[in-house]
Amino acid sequence: EFKEIEYVPAFIKIFDEILVNSSDHAIRTKKVNYIKVEIKDNVISVENDGDGIPVVVHKDHNIYVPEMIFGHLLTGENFNDADNRYVGGRNGIGGKATNIFSKEFIVETADGKKSFKQVFTENMSKFTKPVTKKSSKNFTKITYTPDYKKFGMVGLDDISYALMVKRVFD
């Protein structure tokens, strides 16, 4: 249906950042069988079954790689703007921006050897100690509760929901 709508572009952008991470992973690896998106009770999750993020401690930063990717600024890849890219991410900001604009942001991943779970709260200012276990699974799942107040919203409205669903299909 063609109609004029009003929405908060930044709210849609933080959703798009997480969705594009999964899509990029599917394009890069050709190993993703599904991308599952769930939007329920003002909580959003995006999961894919591709190779998980390596559950290892980064040799230079002495923190787990998933924590570094989603919870610490200036730790991304794709900094060369001259490179031809067929994926969406650049400079490692997207997932972190979603974390920064969320009341709660949960990173879950498994790399075929170990699983990892960590919870960030209060716009990435607080976080739990990562929990790791042995696991033969491969997946990455991001679950977040946007800080709706920061977007001038009281919760997920019908228009934003419809735009998110459209973006998933796109």
Side-chain angles (χ1 to χ4, degrees), residues 54-71:
V55 182
V56 295
V57 174
H58 191 277
K59 62 181 177 158
D60 296 329
H61 298 285
N62 202 31
I63 55 175
Y64 279 98
V65 171
E67 176 181 341
M68 189 175 76
I69 290 170
F70 291 102

Side-chain angles (χ1 to χ4, degrees), residues 21-76:
N21 283 349
S22 280
S23 176
D24 288 353
H25 192 56
I27 291 166
R28 275 194 310 268
T29 68
K30 311 254 187 287
K31 294 181 180 180
V32 174
N33 294 310
Y34 72 82
I35 297 173
K36 178 181 176 184
V37 177
E38 189 170 341
I39 305 167
K40 185 177 178 185
D41 299 328
N42 290 319
V43 178
I44 300 154
S45 70
V46 178
E47 176 182 353
N48 76 71
D49 68 338
D51 293 340
I53 299 165
V55 182
V56 295
V57 174
H58 191 277
K59 62 181 177 158
D60 296 329
H61 298 285
N62 202 31
I63 55 175
Y64 279 98
V65 171
E67 176 181 341
M68 189 175 76
I69 290 170
F70 291 102
H72 294 267
L73 295 173
L74 302 175
T75 56

